[in-house]
Amino acid sequence: QPSPWPIPREHAPSPARVRELLTRRQPAVVTGVLEGWAQPSAGWTVPALSAGLGHLRVRAAASPDGRFDSVEPGTLWGLREEGVEVLVRPPTTTMALSDLLKLAAASSRAHSEAVIANATRSGAAAAAGTDAAPVTWYVEYNDVSQYLGSDLERIAPRPECTRDLPLLLTNAWIGAGGTESPLHWDPYDNLLCQASGAKGLVLFPPHDEARLGYRARRRGNLNLTWRGSVEAPGEVADAAGAGTSGQHGAHAARAGGAAPVPPVAVERGFVADAATVTFGASVNAFAPGAGERLKGTTPAWVLLRAGECLLMPAGVHHHVISQRRPAHE
């Protein structure tokens, strides 16, 4: 159905046109500006990325449910107060991009196998829910100047339509899909360029903020524990490296020199004492029945495909889901 807030499509806009859209705070799907980028079927496959960029280190995040920067009820964290919410950031670690791609492919296969298994299990077994969900791996918020640098810029140069705008930073996002960034907004203008795969987004204009449930929250810290290796997922790491965990920069236990992989555990750790973080809305724009909570807002729905970009002015609220990719992709 048509979006209450229409999002125009702009083919190869000039720098002046981009600046005009940003001044008007008007998002737009932009096409025809990534001609200098590697093709999705060639430069952005797992073999191509592993061969060209696999030796470079990235900061990788792990989520037990595919959600990043999620908002959870405080009761899940042992808080007794009614209505209290916790902002949850996933634990992170650093590794070679080639290892991250193996992890992402493994979690994608595990997710597919879990879906098939749940579909064929008996009703009683399925209701028991004893199968643990596979951990989702994601390269998120990786500053290209720090992590992937000129190697990535060679296959993903800056679009010409932005050349006369000040560049604050360039972030890279890499995964097998099935990831979700809950509703939030950024304080800077954004050009989201989709190299491969697809993303679904729900957008809201800045003036909808009061209806979207932003509030100060406590921060919840997740722990990441390694138990295996990339090359031998079932192998248990030696005692010197096993069980390493932490919110940020978890050290990878090594088994036979290989970087770690499933089985891993991502578990709730501690929650901060004070509500000091205002990030992420309480509204899940993709949840069944969300329409009731979104009354009075002006949402827009966007499907961003490979080769397209989304121009998002500062302050535009966006909820993003990356479509899951087959493991071999």
Side-chain angles (χ1 to χ4, degrees):
Q1 65 185 41
S3 295
W5 185 24
I7 305 299
R9 296 180 66 87
E10 298 274 340
H11 182 72
S14 66
R17 176 59 175 164
V18 169
R19 188 178 289 276
E20 177 189 349
L21 290 167
L22 292 175
T23 301
R24 290 168 43 200
R25 292 288 178 258
Q26 174 62 61
V29 174
V30 176
T31 61
V33 298
L34 300 183
E35 286 85 354
W37 284 39
Q39 293 300 305
S41 60
W44 300 102
T45 63
V46 168
L49 287 174
S50 295
L53 306 177
H55 63 288
L56 300 172
R57 298 194 71 77
V58 294
R59 187 182 70 249
S63 169
D65 58 5
R67 303 188 82 217
F68 295 79
D69 290 318
S70 60
V71 175
E72 293 185 346
T75 52
L76 295 178
W77 291 78
L79 302 180
R80 297 181 179 180
E81 304 96 317
E82 288 293 328
V84 172
E85 295 177 331
V86 174
L87 178 70
V88 183
R89 277 291 297 154
T92 63
T93 185
T94 59
M95 65 181 70
L97 177 60
S98 58
D99 287 335
L100 177 282
L101 295 172
K102 293 176 184 177
L103 286 166
S107 64
S108 181
R109 283 193 298 270
H111 179 273
S112 298
E113 291 166 1
V115 170
I116 293 172
N118 282 328
T120 56
R121 289 163 65 198
S122 67
T130 54
D131 292 340
V135 170
T136 299
W137 290 92
Y138 201 22
V139 169
E140 48 143 24
Y141 292 114
N142 271 217
D143 185 344
V144 171
S145 66
Q146 181 179 359
Y147 287 97
L148 297 170
S150 58
D151 294 86
L152 179 63
E153 291 170 346
R154 276 195 291 271
I155 63 173
R158 181 179 178 180
E160 287 294 329
C161 64
T162 67
R163 285 296 176 184
D164 67 346
L165 297 171
L167 180 63
L168 298 179
L169 76 164
T170 302
N171 283 329
W173 307 71
I174 304 172
T179 58
E180 180 178 356
S181 297
L183 191 63
H184 66 284
W185 61 273
D186 297 316
Y188 42 76
D189 299 324
N190 235 309
L191 185 66
L192 173 61
C193 301
Q194 190 71 20
S196 181
K199 281 183 171 63
L201 301 96
V202 179
L203 310 181
F204 296 87
H207 60 71
D208 279 349
E209 180 173 352
R211 298 177 179 270
L212 298 177
Y214 288 93
R215 62 177 64 93
R217 301 180 179 88
R218 302 186 192 185
R219 179 186 292 277
N221 301 291
L222 291 174
N223 292 328
L224 172 67
T225 303
W226 295 102
R227 297 171 184 159
S229 74
V230 167
E231 305 304 333
E235 182 176 350
V236 178
D238 57 59
T244 305
S245 65
Q247 181 193 5
H248 294 292
H251 297 288
R254 298 233 166 216
V261 79
V264 298
V266 177
E267 301 166 326
R268 293 183 181 90
F270 67 92
V271 63
D273 291 332
T276 58
V277 183
T278 304
F279 184 88
S282 296
V283 173
N284 184 343
F286 286 97
E292 282 299 314
R293 298 193 66 183
L294 296 176
K295 282 185 176 179
T297 65
T298 313
W301 296 280
V302 174
L303 176 61
L304 195 66
R305 300 177 177 86
E308 299 179 338
C309 303
L310 178 62
L311 185 69
M312 280 192 294
V316 171
H317 310 274
H318 47 288
H319 190 152
V320 189
I321 292 183
S322 296
Q323 294 187 353
R324 189 173 294 280
R325 307 292 299 278
H328 68 276
E329 297 183 5

